[in-house]
Amino acid sequence: MQVPNYEEARIRSRQEVLVKSFNLDKDYEKIGLGKKFFIKTYGCQMNEHDSENIKGMLKAMSFTESLTMEKADFIILNTCSIRENAHNKAFGMLGRIKHLKEKRPELVVALCGCMAQEVGVIEEILKKYRFVNFVFGTNNLNDLPRLLTESFKDIKKTLNIEVYSKEGDIIEDMPVVRESKYKAYVNIIYGCDKFCTYCIVPYTRGGQRSRRKEDILKEVRELVKDGYQEVTLLGQNVNAYGKDLYTDYELADLLVDVSKTNIPRIRFLTSHPWDFTEKLVEVIKNHDNILNFVHLPVQSGSNRILKLMGRRYTKESYKKLYDKLRSIPNISITTDIIVGFPGETKEDFEETLELVNYCKYDSAFTFIYSPRENTPASKLPDNTSLEAKEERLYQLNELINKYSKESNLKMVGNVYEVLTEGYSTKEGMLFGYTETNKLVNFKGPTAAIGKIVKVKILEAKSFSLDGEIVE
Ligand code: 5AD
Ligand code: SF4
């Protein structure tokens, strides 16, 4: 039993991070023969990609996937801690699984992901959800085959918790079952050292660790060989790439090298305005396959709140960076905004609206502040009522939607390249994304799926576009 510990999670040691190669023990290869697993994933792209690795490991252990919980022999929840509602969803799911387990005691149940790294969550699981077979954390994903085998061999074994608060090694060559045959996630940096005061990620994902550039490039070259059209380079804070590993190699350099693999489309997520270099702006401008799309979370338009959030930039410096990026022709810029941070006044919120009016974002994710266990912001006094926060969110969303629609309307009548991903939920239509990450539903032949095609935009909505294929 190894439970999480926030003191350890906060320490950023200068110890060297080891790079190891994933190896599946021969004894684990047949464990899943004739057995099915069900996986439920919550949270960000990082977590989605972890689930692709989990599926890869399970496939290597001979499991097949079940799309329903009822038919599964093994259920795994890959959880998220970012806001309270992600918690509630996962605990709600555990409640449903409890009933299944009562009917089928041989069912194996596991929980992993960011919630597993939370001290309070583990206490609750130990108290109320003892039917769970095992829990492992974000730093030891590669322990899954061993933990699962132990549970199948001894189903009566009591709840096993193996969560490490010290960041793990970097494991290369993890097996992977990707969701898409056309676009792929590629991790470039794990963890985060920024410690924004509202955010739990530095505690759940540990210290910043960059992958070696040669390992990243090898993965991208293999994706190119397999016919992939797009990669998204992933990290909680991609702009910090390389800082822990190299003295003169940063995200901009990595992007240039990835660009040389000739993968048609490259995205990167998520950027912190603090680390966004001039060189990076130039690299986006000068390389066709580095897409004109930047997700640049601002969080608030009030300098007072930005300071309390520990963001280390001001609205003035943010605007300066924003203007530089906007000078790239046809760029799309999106953001994240939190309303109702402790102590946010009406005036602070008005400043956020002002900033949105200035930036006219292509789209944005907006959230009501959610206090997270052990974070500095959760200890700040907060006198704003939930109703007032909901009203602010509503007002903000109205403004965001207005600018999204305006940016979409500008595209009507023009032709854009779209990577076709499959059949749309709209009958008889296909769907895909433009270089600027806009969702397009369009009429076209099945043969277009998996290809980059030219689409003329016919109609704009707030959240999507309708079009027709022209080539
Ligand atoms: N409450 C609300 N939103 C949060 N985010 C991160 N932490 C919190 C929190 N405690 C938002 C930020 C971040 C996005 C991924 O989630 O806007 O950019
Ligand atoms: Fe959620 Fe953050 Fe963990 Fe992603 S890294 S799953 S957003 S808590």
Side-chain angles (χ1 to χ4, degrees):
M1 176 92 72
Q2 171 72 44
V3 298
N5 174 322
Y6 288 134
E7 288 313 307
E8 281 173 24
R10 206 171 43 211
I11 295 168
R12 294 294 182 259
S13 70
R14 291 267 158 256
Q15 267 173 11
E16 200 189 343
V17 175
L18 297 177
V19 181
K20 294 183 180 163
S21 196
F22 179 84
N23 232 319
L24 187 71
D25 196 305
K26 275 251 165 298
D27 291 350
Y28 305 151
E29 281 176 4
K30 301 276 182 303
I31 296 292
L33 268 183
K35 295 194 180 82
K36 287 185 184 294
F37 73 89
F38 173 84
I39 184 164
K40 177 81 188 162
T41 309
Y42 302 89
C44 64
Q45 290 91 347
M46 212 74 169
N47 244 26
E48 281 175 32
H49 187 45
D50 281 351
S51 285
E52 292 182 334
N53 287 134
I54 289 171
K55 286 184 188 183
M57 286 187 276
L58 292 172
K59 189 176 168 207
M61 294 173 77
S62 307
F63 283 90
T64 52
E65 185 170 3
S66 162
L67 297 178
T68 64
M69 286 204 295
E70 287 69 21
K71 294 218 171 91
D73 305 278
F74 170 48
I75 297 179
I76 177 162
L77 302 187
N78 188 6
T79 61
C80 169
S81 311
I82 201 91
R83 282 171 293 275
E84 188 59 33
N85 60 353
H87 261 216
N88 296 344
K89 280 187 206 156
F91 277 123
M93 194 69 162
L94 277 180
R96 283 175 61 197
I97 296 169
K98 188 173 184 196
H99 294 300
L100 286 179
K101 181 92 174 172
E102 276 160 7
K103 278 190 243 154
R104 288 198 286 131
E106 72 284 5
L107 178 68
V108 174
V109 180
L111 185 136
C112 66
C114 290
M115 276 170 68
Q117 299 288 147
E118 283 187 72
V119 174
V121 167
I122 294 301
E123 281 168 3
E124 194 157 347
I125 288 175
L126 282 166
K127 248 191 259 150
K128 296 201 208 137
Y129 301 89
R130 292 204 66 93
F131 66 89
V132 171
N133 293 78
F134 64 97
V135 178
F136 60 106
T138 55
N139 296 316
N140 60 331
L141 211 60
N142 54 313
D143 281 337
L144 169 66
R146 175 178 54 81
L147 293 167
L148 180 54
T149 304
E150 284 170 10
S151 286
F152 269 115
K153 286 198 172 146
D154 181 7
I155 190 70
K156 294 218 174 69
K157 192 169 180 267
T158 54
L159 166 59
N160 185 16
I161 300 196
E162 284 200 27
V163 177
Y164 300 91
S165 296
K166 188 199 165 310
E167 59 271 13
D169 304 319
I170 290 186
I171 312 291
E172 291 296 339
D173 306 314
M174 288 273 277
V176 61
V177 174
R178 297 188 187 273
E179 281 306 298
S180 164
K181 291 200 288 263
Y182 320 117
K183 56 184 205 180
Y185 291 131
V186 173
N187 282 329
I188 62 166
I189 180 166
Y190 301 98
C192 180
D193 287 353
K194 286 286 180 283
F195 289 100
C196 300
T197 58
Y198 51 81
C199 189
I200 199 165
V201 172
Y203 306 91
T204 61
R205 291 268 170 182
Q208 213 162 272
R209 289 101 75 206
S210 299
R211 271 180 86 194
R212 296 183 303 208
K213 59 183 174 182
E214 53 275 20
D215 294 327
I216 297 168
L217 292 170
K218 182 173 147 232
E219 186 172 346
V220 177
R221 281 192 207 105
E222 273 160 22
L223 290 166
V224 174
K225 233 193 288 157
D226 292 343
Y228 276 82
Q229 302 290 310
E230 183 177 310
V231 288
T232 302
L233 308 182
L234 281 185
Q236 301 302 340
N237 176 16
V238 279
N239 309 74
Y241 176 77
K243 287 190 173 180
D244 53 312
L245 209 54
Y246 306 111
T247 49
D248 57 352
Y249 193 88
E250 57 168 285
L251 178 65
D253 302 298
L254 179 70
L255 280 168
V256 171
D257 281 341
V258 174
S259 168
K260 286 182 195 149
T261 65
N262 287 331
I263 184 111
R265 291 176 152 206
I266 305 159
R267 300 185 194 280
F268 55 95
L269 279 174
T270 286
S271 291
H272 192 301
W274 183 23
D275 286 325
F276 213 106
T277 61
E278 294 261 345
K279 189 165 164 187
L280 183 52
V281 179
E282 286 307 305
V283 161
I284 301 169
K285 200 184 278 180
N286 297 331
H287 292 78
D288 279 349
N289 58 351
I290 301 173
L291 300 186
N292 290 345
F293 168 70
V294 177
H295 184 60
L296 194 67
V298 67
Q299 313 298 3
S300 168
S302 150
N303 284 341
R304 198 180 69 83
I305 296 296
L306 285 173
K307 192 148 191 227
L308 285 174
M309 286 176 162
R311 291 293 285 176
R312 308 190 206 194
Y313 54 82
T314 58
K315 77 172 166 198
E316 291 78 17
S317 63
Y318 181 91
K319 279 181 179 170
K320 239 187 185 164
L321 170 63
Y322 186 90
D323 289 341
K324 264 186 228 149
L325 283 167
R326 267 285 174 222
S327 73
I328 301 174
N330 297 319
I331 196 164
S332 161
I333 306 176
T334 60
T335 201
D336 291 343
I337 297 173
I338 298 174
V339 301
F341 186 83
E344 183 192 68
T345 61
K346 237 174 132 266
E347 291 70 33
D348 292 317
F349 175 64
E350 299 280 328
E351 287 193 64
T352 298
L353 295 180
E354 254 171 56
L355 189 83
V356 171
N357 278 321
Y358 181 88
C359 294
K360 303 184 172 53
Y361 292 106
D362 289 84
S363 76
F365 295 109
T366 55
F367 314 100
I368 291 183
Y369 167 74
S370 171
R372 308 316 296 135
E373 184 178 274
N374 190 53
T375 55
S378 68
K379 291 158 196 146
L380 294 174
D382 185 0
N383 300 321
T384 315
S385 68
L386 183 61
E387 282 89 343
K389 292 184 182 188
E390 280 170 348
E391 172 56 32
R392 284 180 199 173
L393 185 70
Y394 178 81
Q395 232 184 311
L396 176 63
N397 284 343
E398 290 280 291
L399 197 62
I400 294 286
N401 294 347
K402 182 182 115 176
Y403 289 121
S404 289
K405 180 96 189 254
E406 272 179 20
S407 115
N408 286 351
L409 275 170
K410 281 191 207 139
M411 297 173 74
V412 174
N414 299 336
V415 174
Y416 295 91
E417 288 196 343
V418 173
L419 170 56
T420 321
E421 293 193 17
Y423 296 105
S424 161
T425 44
K426 286 186 156 190
E427 223 190 304
M429 287 184 140
L430 302 173
F431 82 99
Y433 287 86
T434 62
E435 294 192 350
T436 51
N437 213 28
K438 307 254 187 191
L439 170 63
V440 190
N441 293 299
F442 59 98
K443 288 215 178 79
T446 303
I449 297 175
K451 302 210 170 76
I452 295 173
V453 294
K454 293 214 158 77
V455 175
K456 182 171 182 183
I457 305 302
L458 302 175
E459 204 187 327
K461 320 238 161 94
S462 286
F463 305 108
S464 67
L465 299 153
D466 283 348
E468 67 184 6
I469 202 162
V470 290
E471 199 184 290

